[in-house]
Amino acid sequence: MPDSRPQPPSDSWPTPSGSPQADPAPLLLCGARLTDGRTVDVRLGGGRIEAVGTAGSLAADGTRGCGTRVDLTGYLLLPAPVEPHAHADTALSADTDGPVSHQPGDVRRRATEAALLQLGHGATALRAHVRVGDLAGLGVLTAVLEAGRSLRGLAELTTVAMPRVLTGAAGAEGLAVLRDALKMGAGVVGGCPDLDPDPIGYVEAALEVASEHGCPVDLHTDATDPARLARFAAMAGGLRPGVAFGPCGGLAALPAELAARTADRLAAAGVTVVCLPQGGCGAVDAHSAAPVRLLRAAGVRVAAGSGALRDVSNPVGRGDPLEAAYLLASCQGLSARDAYAMVSTSARAALGLPEVRVEAGFPAELLAVRGEALPGVLSLAYSRIVVHGGRVVARTSAVREYCDSADGVAPGLPRQGRGPA
């Protein structure tokens, strides 16, 4: 049966010499299939893709040793996905008896385990939204930051500081906590303006702090009020390095004409929408998802995340980018190629990360999945090999076996053994 648990690198895997920050040893990925149908070898070095050639052409090119080899026969090689919308502080808390613990040790353990689960699925970079202020103060953020440091060399974890209130008398404390959070190492200004008594004032304050620190903004909104969302977008339109809103599931409930006008305004502002195909993460309607095809048709930059990972919002979340892509293709009618781009290319852009292609010169952030083409990979993506920074950082292997029928092995029935599929 498929075993979806990520496995940490073993001694036999390619590992860097010295600390995790050292340049990884050269790595040759052999016999991988690309989405255009080619079968290639890919040589990695210095954290980047050095060369891509026909299968067998890079085994001994006469210029340098090819280092450790990884046989990818039967695997589809893709740019690695990323996770643009995680909740590291509440992940894996659904089975907790009583209130969720915010003790730093508990948060650090849950955040680390959740990130490793997502890494095992292929996400080599994650953006984690973390509540700051209120009773938790900054202790929860400290724990998530520590988790991120412990994962260095395996995955990149960026934190989004989310204060509850930023306006009025109570907002003064929220602003102070937000600025402290950014000084501590949070990389993004976040929050839920819909929960503030003055949502417009909340966004104004968040944009001001982000401008002071030169960091991105990533705000939660259900988008049930299209006029308010359009106002948010207009306010954020000129900010760089970038502004994202999500999950915006309320747009799906709007009349088509009104939703289209709102999408046009989002596109004009140049903001990104990070949708959650599995549904919201604490929204009023936790099962709504943004109308992705309408947004894309309007020219809105849309990325997709996995959202809640086994917490009160979704007790069965997987935190799997390929599941998000599967839902986009299955439920929203996107092609498999466009669906995967929303969890890889578009999601990387939303996080401000460089583009990845399976071509020489691009970052060696890759995911190999057993299968021949994207539709099959999004349907049955059990076996995976994850490459981050030019080295293998996670493997998940699965073997499906069947007992023989009563009449023996019937001719013509497919069998999956332990060899290449």
Side-chain angles (χ1 to χ4, degrees):
M1 294 297 292
D3 182 359
S4 61
R5 294 172 298 178
Q7 302 170 16
S10 71
D11 292 340
S12 61
W13 292 13
T15 55
S17 58
S19 71
Q21 301 305 306
D23 284 341
L27 183 66
L28 185 64
L29 309 178
C30 303
R33 181 183 291 271
L34 302 184
T35 55
D36 61 10
R38 289 181 295 151
T39 300
V40 299
D41 290 350
V42 180
R43 189 175 67 221
L44 312 179
R48 306 192 77 81
I49 299 172
E50 289 189 342
V52 178
T54 56
S57 65
L58 301 182
D61 61 9
T63 60
R64 56 169 292 170
C66 56
T68 304
R69 299 186 188 188
V70 177
D71 184 4
L72 293 186
T73 303
Y75 283 79
L76 188 69
L77 186 62
L78 303 164
V82 299
E83 177 51 70
H85 191 119
H87 287 271
D89 52 347
T90 58
L92 306 178
S93 62
D95 296 330
T96 303
D97 293 329
V100 176
S101 170
H102 293 298
Q103 293 298 315
D106 294 333
V107 173
R108 184 168 56 252
R109 175 186 53 80
R110 294 198 308 261
T112 303
E113 183 178 352
L116 288 174
L117 282 170
Q118 291 168 304
L119 173 64
H121 292 315
T124 60
L126 307 95
R127 177 178 281 186
H129 297 256
V130 181
R131 283 288 181 89
V132 297
D134 299 329
L135 296 178
L138 291 169
V140 171
L141 175 65
T142 299
V144 176
L145 289 172
E146 291 174 351
R149 287 191 288 271
S150 73
L151 293 164
R152 193 168 296 159
L154 295 176
E156 302 298 326
L157 178 65
T158 303
T159 54
V160 184
M162 299 179 60
R164 183 175 179 84
V165 179
L166 290 180
T167 67
E173 180 180 352
L175 283 168
V177 169
L178 176 58
R179 289 188 169 96
D180 287 343
L182 295 173
K183 293 175 183 176
M184 288 171 55
V188 184
V189 171
C192 302
D194 296 348
L195 300 180
D196 192 287
D198 179 7
I200 300 299
Y202 188 106
V203 174
E204 288 177 341
L207 293 173
E208 181 179 351
V209 173
S211 181
E212 291 173 4
H213 291 263
C215 59
V217 175
D218 193 334
L219 298 172
H220 281 51
T221 178
D222 292 342
T224 53
D225 184 337
R228 180 189 295 171
L229 179 63
R231 179 75 181 278
F232 289 170
M235 294 163 59
L239 184 73
R240 295 293 181 269
V243 178
F245 296 115
C248 296
L251 289 174
L254 298 178
E257 184 177 347
L258 180 55
R261 288 202 304 270
T262 305
D264 288 340
R265 292 173 178 173
L266 292 170
V271 300
T272 298
V273 170
V274 179
C275 71
L276 299 178
Q278 74 169 19
C281 55
V284 175
D285 182 0
H287 300 291
S288 60
V292 170
R293 293 179 67 184
L294 180 147
L295 290 167
R296 284 166 52 90
V300 180
R301 294 194 297 263
V302 188
S306 301
L309 174 55
R310 297 204 306 241
D311 65 13
V312 67
S313 299
N314 186 359
V316 295
R318 294 178 182 173
D320 185 353
L322 268 63
E323 181 185 48
Y326 162 84
L327 291 171
L328 289 169
S330 176
C331 302
Q332 300 235 19
L334 270 66
S335 68
R337 182 180 295 273
D338 287 344
Y340 188 75
M342 285 184 56
V343 301
S344 55
T345 304
S346 297
R348 288 187 67 87
L351 269 58
L353 297 171
E355 183 181 7
V356 172
R357 300 180 193 172
V358 188
E359 298 176 13
F362 284 87
E365 303 289 320
L366 303 168
L367 171 64
V369 187
R370 184 174 289 281
E372 296 185 353
L374 266 174
V377 159
L378 296 186
S379 302
L380 295 171
Y382 293 130
S383 297
R384 310 185 192 186
I385 298 174
V386 186
V387 175
H388 169 57
R391 70 182 185 117
V392 175
V393 293
R395 294 183 192 241
T396 303
S397 299
V399 176
R400 181 182 288 112
E401 298 177 322
Y402 304 92
C403 67
D404 293 334
S405 66
D407 296 328
V409 180
L413 290 181
R415 289 286 187 265
Q416 178 182 344
R418 296 184 180 273

